[in-house]
Amino acid sequence: MNQTRIPPPDDILSAIYDVALAPECYARLLPHMDRETVPAGLSESTLLKHFHRAEEILARSTLPSKADEIATLMERFSQSTAILVDARFSVLAANGSTRSLFGVDVGASLGCAAMPEDTRATLLALVRKHLNQRTADNETADTLLELHRDNHARPTLLKLHVEILPQVGPVVLILSSELIWPEGFDAVLASAFALTPAEIAVIQRLIKSENIQEIAAARGRSVDTIRTQVKTILSKTDTRSQAELIRIVLMMMHMATAPGATRAQAVMDVARPAVQWMSMRLSDGRRMDYREFGATTGKPILVWPMDYGFTHWPQAAEEQARALGLRVILPLRGGYGPSDTPPATGSLSEHYARDMAELVAHLNLGPCPHLALGVDVMFVAKFAALFPHLITGVFGCGAVFPVTEPNQIACMDKWHRMILATARHTPRLLPFLIKAGFALAQKAGKDAFIRNIFADAPGDLALLDDPDTREALLEGSHFTLSKDYNAADIFTRTTIEQMTMDWSQDLRALARHVPVHFLHGTEDTEIPPEMLAQHAARYPEIKIETCDNAGRFVFFRAWDKALAHLTRMA
């Protein structure tokens, strides 16, 4: 590796602590970690102590403030009129018109709420009970309470939900059944379905659970007129019932009120159905979630979604899978989202292989082909070694190869070289690098992070300009990194196993057992064309094809090729 200058020890220590305090300084680590050994003048044990301290600082510096915690929680329930109350009954935050519903403002005491005295007393008692139970480390079920108001025929339902915020402590969220109609949402509905203002006004009342007679009375129209308008609305929205109409409108409201959402995005994404997740219990008691899409009774294919954990495909790709008669099963690997992390002992590849075999048995599937993205081909190779009767072929997109020689790392771009060289030569230092990288992505946003890390792959960056693919990349990695989830630990463990374990025999055995076809982008920054040619010579059993204008995210550029090959393998 060509290095003209080795920075002194003080430089790397300064860089480590700079990154811990400000993840946007991440690039400062590049000159120090792009090597086979630790910097001169420092032992690995000394450096490890500094990395551990920096990791603690990073964890503290990335904690949200009290205001951020509260705002994040309220964003999750932005469609409902709601208030957030602490242990002193102070109203910390509110969504919607809380003055008209609760008769109380932010900063005031819930005890001053303008509601019937018996209802207020019951509400305060329930808040106190929920907080006391949660403080005692007992799980508290949500509680429902009816709020009757003189000028409303129907009672408003209140739901009490307990949360513990790291900075604020235990709080009670009081959600009402009154939904908030997002600003500008009339225009979204009008644009998406060509609805008139009168039809949108009818939808608003349907959302409030009003029946035809109540809507007619409120709008001063006949029941027949309202009934005709509802039929017209169902026709325009391609829905078959009021219940289905309400589900679609609520989904659109959620999109329109999501953080960072725009009206244009809400219209654009309306046709994408909500992702449905299913759960199963593995034999050791761990939870594993998975989703299915495509043709319900079609030929099954199993998907390994890369260490970035991509759970969405472009909508066009999911529709094409259905048209080809493919039943796509995509598991959420342990350590991502709500799927429980595999045991810390033993091979991660073997744990994942056995988890997938249990999923196959759970769904009563026969042998089928596998789609492997990126490093996940390592797990597929182990699956085939343990369960050869359950696999008929493998199509890999941007699939990695075992790293057996130093020059295989040297030819990578600077970012992959830093992470993978550290994983191979000084793996104990890797957790901080990964957590710092995740913190940078969280702070700068996934879009900016991708544009920085994959700047040398313009084909990958261009994918962000397509709304459908952009959604698949950014929202599809929700369980890897978001306000709710962070998969840095399992990402680290995967990377270390990839770089320290020789899995070449498993890969060769896989390619001799079933057809294996890899598709690689010519702009791949981890496996550039010259290195891909060397891998092709080492693994002649694997058919390798290249795709121009694509890099690590080659599947999102050429999913049609992948699906065509998988159809032949099924």
Side-chain angles (χ1 to χ4, degrees), residues 23-133:
E24 57 269 30
C25 299
Y26 196 54
R28 283 204 59 196
L29 288 169
L30 281 169
H32 307 282
M33 305 309 298
D34 180 15
R35 61 187 70 253
E36 296 180 17
T37 59
V38 297
L42 288 173
S43 67
E44 182 176 341
S45 60
T46 298
L47 196 56
L48 185 61
K49 291 178 182 177
H50 287 287
F51 267 72
H52 283 165
R53 292 192 193 105
E55 201 171 325
E56 293 173 1
I57 294 171
L58 178 67
R60 288 196 297 270
S61 67
T62 53
L63 281 175
S65 66
K66 290 184 179 181
D68 289 340
E69 277 188 343
I70 292 171
T72 298
L73 177 60
M74 298 305 285
E75 280 175 359
R76 286 167 46 193
F77 303 95
S78 57
Q79 291 172 239
S80 298
T81 300
I83 59 174
L84 187 68
V85 180
D86 65 11
R88 295 174 297 178
F89 300 121
S90 296
V91 178
L92 302 177
N95 285 340
S97 180
T98 55
R99 162 57 61 180
S100 62
L101 180 60
F102 296 100
V104 67
D105 294 318
V106 174
S109 170
L110 185 61
C112 299
M115 58 179 62
E117 186 175 346
D118 57 340
T119 303
R120 184 173 60 247
T122 301
L123 184 59
L124 291 171
L126 286 172
V127 169
R128 185 181 296 108
K129 176 183 176 183
H130 278 60
L131 290 173
N132 288 342
Q133 287 181 338

Side-chain angles (χ1 to χ4, degrees), residues 420-462:
L420 298 181
T422 301
R424 185 168 182 82
H425 303 296
T426 52
R428 293 191 298 171
L429 306 182
L430 187 65
F432 173 73
L433 292 185
I434 298 296
K435 289 177 181 177
F438 273 53
L440 173 61
Q442 188 80 284
K443 189 168 186 176
K446 292 180 186 177
D447 183 295
F449 183 78
I450 289 174
R451 293 185 187 280
N452 189 10
I453 301 300
F454 296 98
D456 295 330
D460 281 352
L461 299 187

Side-chain angles (χ1 to χ4, degrees), residues 80-239:
S80 298
T81 300
I83 59 174
L84 187 68
V85 180
D86 65 11
R88 295 174 297 178
F89 300 121
S90 296
V91 178
L92 302 177
N95 285 340
S97 180
T98 55
R99 162 57 61 180
S100 62
L101 180 60
F102 296 100
V104 67
D105 294 318
V106 174
S109 170
L110 185 61
C112 299
M115 58 179 62
E117 186 175 346
D118 57 340
T119 303
R120 184 173 60 247
T122 301
L123 184 59
L124 291 171
L126 286 172
V127 169
R128 185 181 296 108
K129 176 183 176 183
H130 278 60
L131 290 173
N132 288 342
Q133 287 181 338
R134 196 60 189 258
T135 304
D137 293 328
N138 294 320
E139 288 296 325
T140 306
D142 292 347
T143 300
L144 293 177
L145 178 67
E146 285 189 351
L147 174 61
H148 295 270
R149 291 180 288 170
D150 294 337
N151 58 339
H152 287 71
R154 295 171 181 268
T156 299
L157 284 179
L158 302 180
K159 182 172 78 169
L160 279 69
H161 173 75
V162 184
E163 293 266 351
I164 293 185
L165 303 179
Q167 302 297 307
V168 179
V171 292
V172 174
L173 187 69
I174 306 173
L175 293 156
S176 82
S177 55
E178 290 196 358
L179 295 176
I180 298 172
W181 192 260
E183 181 182 355
F185 192 53
D186 291 27
V188 172
L189 289 178
S191 174
F193 303 116
L195 296 170
T196 67
E199 290 164 348
I200 292 171
V202 170
I203 290 176
Q204 285 181 295
R205 293 190 172 276
L206 288 173
I207 292 292
K208 295 179 180 178
S209 301
E210 293 183 10
N211 59 36
I212 298 293
Q213 290 74 20
E214 290 170 327
I215 297 173
R219 292 187 53 73
R221 300 288 188 271
S222 70
V223 169
D224 287 341
T225 297
I226 301 300
R227 189 172 284 120
T228 299
Q229 286 180 319
V230 170
K231 288 181 180 178
T232 302
I233 292 168
L234 295 179
S235 175
K236 287 184 176 181
T237 57
D238 291 319
T239 52

Side-chain angles (χ1 to χ4, degrees), residues 441-505:
Q442 188 80 284
K443 189 168 186 176
K446 292 180 186 177
D447 183 295
F449 183 78
I450 289 174
R451 293 185 187 280
N452 189 10
I453 301 300
F454 296 98
D456 295 330
D460 281 352
L461 299 187
L463 294 172
L464 294 171
D465 297 329
D466 174 67
D468 190 20
T469 307
R470 175 187 176 85
E471 190 275 346
L473 289 167
L474 302 187
E475 295 302 317
S477 55
H478 170 78
F479 293 118
T480 307
L481 181 64
S482 62
K483 291 180 179 178
D484 302 313
Y485 299 104
N486 188 313
D489 288 340
I490 201 67
F491 191 101
T492 300
R493 192 171 162 191
T494 298
T495 306
I496 290 174
E497 183 155 318
Q498 172 196 352
M499 298 304 296
T500 59
M501 186 181 78
D502 183 2
W503 48 283
S504 56
Q505 292 305 312

Side-chain angles (χ1 to χ4, degrees), residues 260-403:
T262 65
R263 295 179 194 174
Q265 286 175 321
V267 174
M268 192 165 46
D269 295 341
V270 64
R272 175 179 281 277
V275 173
Q276 299 295 319
W277 286 95
M278 292 157 280
S279 293
M280 63 171 288
R281 285 291 167 187
L282 299 166
S283 57
D284 61 0
R286 286 183 295 121
R287 167 181 171 173
M288 184 169 77
D289 285 12
Y290 64 95
R291 65 172 295 218
E292 293 192 42
F293 55 91
T296 307
T297 59
K299 297 178 180 178
I301 64 170
L302 293 173
V303 179
W304 300 75
M306 199 172 179
D307 46 4
Y308 289 111
F310 293 122
T311 59
H312 292 191
W313 289 2
Q315 187 177 346
E318 296 193 7
E319 291 174 352
Q320 179 68 1
R322 182 170 59 252
L324 292 171
L326 296 176
R327 175 189 176 190
V328 183
I329 298 105
L330 191 155
L332 191 61
R333 293 201 269 103
Y336 291 82
S339 292
D340 292 330
T341 304
T345 57
S347 160
L348 187 60
S349 297
E350 185 166 336
H351 287 310
Y352 280 150
R354 295 191 183 281
D355 291 352
M356 185 69 94
E358 288 196 40
L359 176 61
V360 169
H362 175 73
L363 297 175
N364 197 27
L365 305 176
C368 63
H370 292 225
L371 171 64
L373 308 187
V375 69
D376 283 23
V377 70
M378 175 175 69
F379 305 136
V380 177
K382 181 59 69 176
F383 178 91
L386 296 175
F387 309 100
H389 58 292
L390 294 179
I391 189 167
T392 61
V394 176
F395 193 85
C397 289
V400 304
F401 292 84
V403 173

